[in-house]
Amino acid sequence: MKKLIIILTITSSHILSAQDDEMIPSYKYNTEKVTISEGIELAYVNEGPQDAPVILMVHGLGGYIKNWYPTIDGLKETYRCIALDLPGYGQSTIRDFEKEDYMQFFANSVNEFAEKLELNKVILMGHSMGGQVSIVMALQNPKWLERLILAAPAGFETFTEAEGTLLKQFSTASALMSHTEEQIYAAYQANFVSMPALAEEMIQDRLKAKEAMWFADYALIREMGVKGMLRHSVKEDLSKIKIPTVVLFGKNDFLIPNKYLHPSLTTSQIAEIGKEIPNVKIKLIETAGHMLQMDNPTSFNLAVKQLLTY
């Protein structure tokens, strides 16, 4: 049970919002905002040649723009790198959005974002929950989407109703709000084979967030994100993805598969589920955990460059 608590705790990392200025993260890149439906502001960074191919980066549960720093740094000479904060994260609007299906809500938000910026021929890159959101997006075949990169995507691994109930019990807003500093540090460590320096900065962001007035709203968004991933199954629809797709997993992923509920499964076996996508390339990144783009950015960025050439 302790392992399950640690696994679920890591999803609570990196949370900040634009509600309290002293609590929001400061990004090293210039940050812009765009307003979509319901007055929701989405924060984003936009680096690299503006006429280059676009990679649009979508973070995972508990993530934010900083998760993509090493990716942007490694790809911005060749690609226009756009990373956004989903609603409820980073510098974007946070509140109770009162949505039934958060995977669809996030996908709709990404779609509006791309249309507002008039993006075209986009390479959509999603990590973890962001990967599942990106799959939902790809299945809707928006005219602006050309390729898909799924980094340790949620949605390949599935859970029984009983397993889902257990996961939700350990993913409530109240559970998130009760996490101690020790649990937060343990959660970050579980993401990596070797903790990068940037992780300490994100831990400090997370500790500040715990004291913010908006933290309860964020905690509810996190809870609804878990429920959304369990509710909005995508595995059975992978064969319907029509665009070229790249699937990347860290070989030492501690999160996927769930080590408590599915101890006999391996990350390689989960990655192989990606073969259900008709036009797919799959690669496991050596010496990398769940946060593979941060854990081994050199290998991750090289794989992206190589696999986008096919």
Side-chain angles (χ1 to χ4, degrees), residues 8-231:
L8 289 167
T9 302
I10 65 180
T11 65
S12 69
S13 49
H14 330 318
I15 45 178
L16 292 159
S17 162
Q19 305 298 306
D20 297 333
D21 287 347
E22 70 275 13
M23 300 296 184
I24 64 172
S26 58
Y27 298 144
K28 69 178 185 178
Y29 307 113
N30 180 54
T31 309
E32 303 177 66
K33 291 187 178 181
V34 64
T35 302
I36 59 171
S37 296
E38 303 177 35
I40 297 170
E41 286 189 331
L42 297 182
Y44 68 98
V45 299
N46 181 5
E47 296 291 318
Q50 297 303 288
D51 59 349
V54 175
I55 298 181
L56 175 56
M57 304 172 188
V58 183
H59 63 76
L61 186 74
Y64 61 158
I65 286 170
K66 285 186 183 179
N67 296 164
W68 297 113
Y69 275 11
T71 313
I72 296 170
D73 290 342
L75 298 178
K76 66 180 181 180
E77 290 187 7
T78 307
Y79 296 94
R80 179 184 175 190
C81 296
I82 302 176
L84 80 158
D85 286 328
L86 290 170
Y89 293 92
Q91 294 187 15
S92 292
T93 299
I94 180 171
R95 63 171 185 257
D96 181 357
F97 297 105
E98 299 181 340
K99 303 297 180 182
E100 292 295 324
D101 184 344
Y102 265 66
M103 294 305 96
Q104 188 61 61
F105 169 53
F106 287 146
N108 291 345
S109 300
V110 172
N111 184 56
E112 279 198 68
F113 176 83
E115 291 183 345
K116 281 272 188 176
L117 268 63
E118 299 182 344
L119 302 179
N120 189 34
K121 296 184 178 180
V122 172
I123 303 160
L124 183 61
M125 179 187 290
H127 173 251
S128 197
M129 181 191 75
Q132 188 164 345
V133 170
S134 297
I135 292 169
V136 173
M137 189 76 269
L139 290 169
Q140 296 173 7
N141 300 306
K143 60 184 179 181
W144 51 265
L145 181 57
E146 185 171 73
R147 292 192 179 214
L148 191 63
I149 301 175
L150 304 174
F156 283 17
E157 181 181 17
T158 56
F159 301 90
T160 66
E161 184 175 349
E163 289 170 341
T165 298
L166 187 61
L167 288 169
K168 285 184 281 190
Q169 288 175 351
F170 283 91
S171 304
T172 63
S174 59
L176 174 67
M177 295 176 72
S178 70
H179 289 159
T180 65
E181 183 171 336
E182 182 181 4
Q183 287 175 309
I184 291 168
Y185 268 89
Y188 273 85
Q189 290 171 347
N191 274 289
F192 303 100
V193 172
S194 179
M195 285 263 286
L198 181 58
E200 178 61 34
E201 180 180 332
M202 295 191 296
I203 289 169
Q204 295 306 312
D205 285 345
R206 169 64 176 85
L207 293 173
K208 285 193 299 182
K210 187 177 180 181
E211 306 303 320
M213 294 174 58
W214 44 261
F215 188 70
D217 284 333
Y218 168 78
L220 178 61
I221 293 166
R222 198 293 305 264
E223 176 182 328
M224 295 305 295
V226 173
K227 290 179 178 178
M229 285 187 284
L230 292 168
R231 175 178 179 174

